[in-house]
Amino acid sequence: MLKLENVSFNVDVDGSNLEIIDGVSLEVPDGAFTVITGPNGGGKSTLARLIMGIEKPTGGKIIYNGTDITSLSVTERAKLGIGYAFQQPPRFKGLTVRRLLSLAAGSELPIDECCGYLTSVGLCSKDYLNREMDNSLSGGEAKRIEIATLMARKLGLAIFDEPEAGIDLWSFSMLVESFKAMSKGSHQSVIVISHQERIMQLADEMIVIADGKIRDSGSKDKIFPRLMGEFNENCGFRGHD
């Protein structure tokens, strides 16, 4: 289980203290598909980076499976089974998809296992195994391959930061199918930062972040109808970015 206790994150801007995350406390249950949503600039992506260790909190604690990981590095958190997918996946010229999957798994994977991971994210393995993870891949292809690498790592907690950003409608549909496969076929916990209704509908739990604070949280069945009602009433979230 992931637990945040009164986590804060402040930055200095022109001599003034700007509070990005303000005393956030939450729990992500084991095996849950959790969607974090809210207005732009509300602190969602910052919260994801704090969980991964890309940023360090200025207050509070982050606890994973009973261990205080607040001061641990990204590498140390990765060794504990936490993984992070960026909005824009990195590209690696000269590194094939098959090799990338093996690196993620920590050992050389047989072809049939690599094919299984690619198939689970909607990619034809024979077309991608020997392709390089470079700029010849579309945004949607790169993101689905990144999901496959996180599957290969067999993580305890996978974090995806706005995976729908910058991809076309076809790729987005395949991305949703990939998350469905991950949610149904794995016991790992998944956190997705997203505004997208179709991704929200996959959630077990939802957390709404605005102005650096938790505005609402609970089961999808409780939170999702409230959000849809608010969108219909105001054409967006209340609050400001």
Side-chain angles (χ1 to χ4, degrees), residues 26-157:
L26 60 84
E27 291 185 2
V28 175
D30 292 337
F33 193 104
T34 301
V35 172
I36 299 177
T37 192
N40 290 331
K44 304 181 301 299
S45 292
T46 299
L47 191 63
R49 292 195 296 270
L50 288 169
I51 294 170
M52 189 65 238
I54 299 168
E55 303 283 1
K56 299 294 184 183
T58 50
K61 290 183 179 181
I62 302 176
I63 299 169
Y64 180 62
N65 289 342
T67 299
D68 187 343
I69 65 170
T70 311
S71 61
L72 297 187
S73 67
V74 173
T75 300
E76 290 169 320
R77 296 184 198 207
K79 289 178 179 178
L80 291 176
I82 303 174
Y84 184 92
F86 293 88
Q87 288 186 26
Q88 300 296 328
R91 308 302 179 107
F92 305 98
K93 187 175 181 180
L95 183 67
T96 66
V97 171
R98 181 182 179 185
R99 181 59 181 154
L100 183 63
L101 288 169
S102 292
L103 287 172
S107 62
E108 192 67 27
L109 291 179
I111 290 179
D112 60 344
E113 193 168 347
C114 290
C115 291
Y117 289 125
L118 292 175
T119 299
S120 69
V121 296
L123 295 175
C124 179
S125 56
K126 69 181 180 66
D127 292 336
Y128 288 92
L129 270 181
N130 296 313
R131 283 189 66 175
E132 291 186 11
M133 190 65 186
D134 58 15
N135 288 328
S136 67
L137 295 170
S138 70
E141 289 170 328
K143 288 189 178 185
R144 278 183 274 162
I145 291 168
E146 187 174 41
I147 293 174
T149 63
L150 264 64
M151 289 179 174
R153 284 188 59 194
K154 297 179 173 62
L155 298 166
L157 173 62

Side-chain angles (χ1 to χ4, degrees), residues 11 22 31 46 61 65 83 92 111 158 161 178-179 201 219 231:
V11 295
D22 182 10
T46 299
K61 290 183 179 181
N65 289 342
F92 305 98
I111 290 179
D161 188 3
S178 298
F179 281 130
Q201 288 175 337
S219 69
F231 274 123

